Amino acid sequence: MERENKKAIEQIEYELTTFIRRAVYKDNSENKIGDLERAVYLLLRQLEEFGPARLTTLADSFKLDISTLSRQASAVEAKGLISRFSDPSDRRGSLFQITELGREKLLADKRMRIQRYQDMLKTWSSEEQKLFGELLVCLNEAFID
């Protein structure tokens, strides 16, 4: 049984590595979906789903150095996709929130991305799609621990 488990883990490692490589290639190729870079898309998704957040909270969520996320947030803010305001609970800190323009761009990109996955997974049953989604949630949570 341990040999089967090792073989399964090796297959998972290889397939995930290959998937990540192909996903990065797609995001950097002429076949890229939408206008938003992956980092911007994820930042907007986070703010859309969970609401305003401090830079430290966002950096922790993405497992990024705060200086890296600060540069990204400043660039996204300059494009008008997010805005900064004083934290009402602590005026020394700032919160970031998605703007209406950011929400519009996010929605447009999200629709295109979802369509891509619908096309890629069209031969999968609803049960397979649901299970895969649940397993990806588990995998993403395991990366955090």
Side-chain angles (χ1 to χ4, degrees), residues 61-126:
S61 172
F62 295 123
K63 303 300 181 214
L64 291 173
D65 181 82
I66 196 154
S67 63
T68 300
L69 192 60
S70 179
R71 283 190 303 277
Q72 288 178 357
S74 292
V76 176
E77 184 179 19
K79 293 177 182 177
L81 303 178
I82 62 174
S83 63
R84 181 188 320 232
F85 64 97
S86 291
D87 185 342
S89 66
D90 180 0
R91 294 275 178 203
R92 295 171 295 169
S94 295
L95 294 172
F96 288 91
Q97 66 183 1
I98 189 169
T99 64
E100 198 53 44
L101 176 62
R103 195 170 277 109
E104 289 170 12
K105 294 221 178 252
L106 173 64
L107 183 59
D109 273 34
K110 186 177 174 184
R111 279 191 202 122
M112 288 185 273
R113 288 169 179 262
I114 287 172
Q115 185 61 53
R116 172 186 273 171
Y117 280 95
Q118 285 175 333
D119 292 344
M120 284 179 9
L121 303 175
K122 66 185 172 200
T123 61
W124 294 25
S125 71
S126 295

Side-chain angles (χ1 to χ4, degrees), residues 5 10 21 25 31 36 42 49 53 65 73-75 81 90 93 102-103 113-114 117 121 123 126 130 137 144-145:
N5 188 42
E10 286 179 11
R21 180 70 187 114
Y25 167 77
N31 297 320
L36 300 174
L42 287 170
E49 186 167 343
D65 181 82
S74 292
L81 303 178
D90 180 0
R103 195 170 277 109
R113 288 169 179 262
I114 287 172
Y117 280 95
L121 303 175
T123 61
S126 295
K130 183 176 184 284
V137 168
I144 293 171
D145 296 339

